[in-house]
Amino acid sequence: MNFEPKIECERIVEFIRSTMEQYNFKGAVLGISGGIDSAVVLGLLVKAIEREKIKALILPERDSSKQSIKDAKLVCDAFNVDYEIYNLTGALRKLGVYSFFPPAVFIPESVKIKYSRNRWKKYKDPYILDLKNEGDEQFLRGIAYYRAKHRMRMCKLYMEAERLGYCVVGTTNRTELLLGLYVKWGDDSVDIEPIKHLYKTQVFELAKYLNVPEKIINKKPTPDLVPGITDEEAFGMSYYEIDSILIDLESGIERNDQLSLRIKQIMQLTKLRELKSLGLLDL
């Protein structure tokens, strides 16, 4: 698929400006995770509006990787945008989230990753289980555990945005949208979605054009489900394979190889999850 980063950047920037003007938003609030999607969106925002009107929030909690926090700071510094770090640990503890799993403050990161990967491999296809909301008691506890964190972050983003008359800007891309790699009432609940129409591989191209730090571009995307598990491991294929299949399917090209059948299954489950969450399965 032909993709021109410069043209696409200009188009998105104009979309951001016109949308903010149309709905009278005074500025924008964005959560910075240290990943490529939020980095690209920040790069687009600084082209669309004044830096002083961008509120960048880094929202760690008890289990956050120290490296992710450093990467989030790196992104903000690269685009010369001030940021605020707000720790969500207290709020999540009050909600009872941390009662699901014991603290691991003094356990080395490598040990936590090894433990989590072993747990992940215990299940036949954990990503499908996640989409179906199925699994044993421990697996379902894990689903509730990580989803609550996403939703708490969104509460903080909206609190800041509404206090200032700003909009909350999302970072979901088209690949994530089609394959359910987002949390309902969490990172999908925003006012503006600048990159929702872009496949993940296109986000990588746009990142290079926007001069996102190479460290962030080369970083393996993670679904934030289990420490040490990347997006591509969860899906069982690379983003280049995934996007190639998605582009063919959306273009009406039928594919029945093993990887394509898996993508079709994930897409069907994602649609079903969306209907369930909207209450559209009622009589």
Side-chain angles (χ1 to χ4, degrees), residues 83-201:
Y83 59 85
E84 177 185 335
I85 299 178
Y86 184 87
N87 197 304
L88 294 173
T89 299
L92 288 165
R93 181 173 287 118
K94 284 287 185 180
L95 196 62
V97 173
Y98 295 132
S99 64
F100 292 168
F101 294 99
V105 178
F106 301 108
I107 298 177
E109 189 76 15
S110 59
V111 175
K112 287 190 282 187
I113 288 174
K114 184 177 180 180
Y115 170 76
S116 297
R117 288 178 67 87
N118 287 338
R119 266 185 50 215
W120 179 267
K121 291 177 181 178
K122 170 185 173 184
Y123 303 97
K124 182 179 179 181
D125 197 333
Y127 193 75
I128 296 296
L129 288 177
D130 185 279
L131 286 174
K132 288 182 173 181
N133 260 35
E134 294 179 358
D136 58 26
E137 182 181 350
Q138 187 181 40
F139 191 85
L140 291 175
R141 245 194 346 262
I143 289 176
Y145 186 73
Y146 85 81
R147 289 182 185 172
K149 297 178 182 183
H150 283 268
R151 290 166 181 147
M152 186 63 76
R153 288 179 189 131
M154 194 50 60
C155 285
K156 175 61 178 176
L157 293 175
Y158 263 103
M159 187 184 80
E160 291 299 320
E162 291 174 344
R163 177 176 69 85
L164 297 167
Y166 285 13
C167 60
V168 174
V169 183
T171 64
T172 303
N173 61 63
R174 184 162 186 77
T175 305
E176 293 172 341
L177 180 70
L178 292 172
L179 301 186
L181 193 61
Y182 59 89
V183 173
K184 192 65 187 173
W185 314 125
D187 49 343
D188 75 327
S189 301
V190 296
D191 298 311
I192 300 179
E193 284 280 23
I195 62 171
K196 197 174 183 178
H197 62 295
L198 299 181
Y199 294 102
K200 186 75 172 189
T201 48

Side-chain angles (χ1 to χ4, degrees), residues 263-281:
I263 290 296
K264 288 179 183 179
Q265 179 190 22
I266 292 173
M267 290 174 71
Q268 289 171 351
L269 290 172
T270 298
K271 289 180 181 178
L272 180 60
R273 186 183 72 176
E274 185 74 14
L275 291 173
K276 288 167 66 177
S277 67
L278 294 174
L280 298 180
L281 299 181

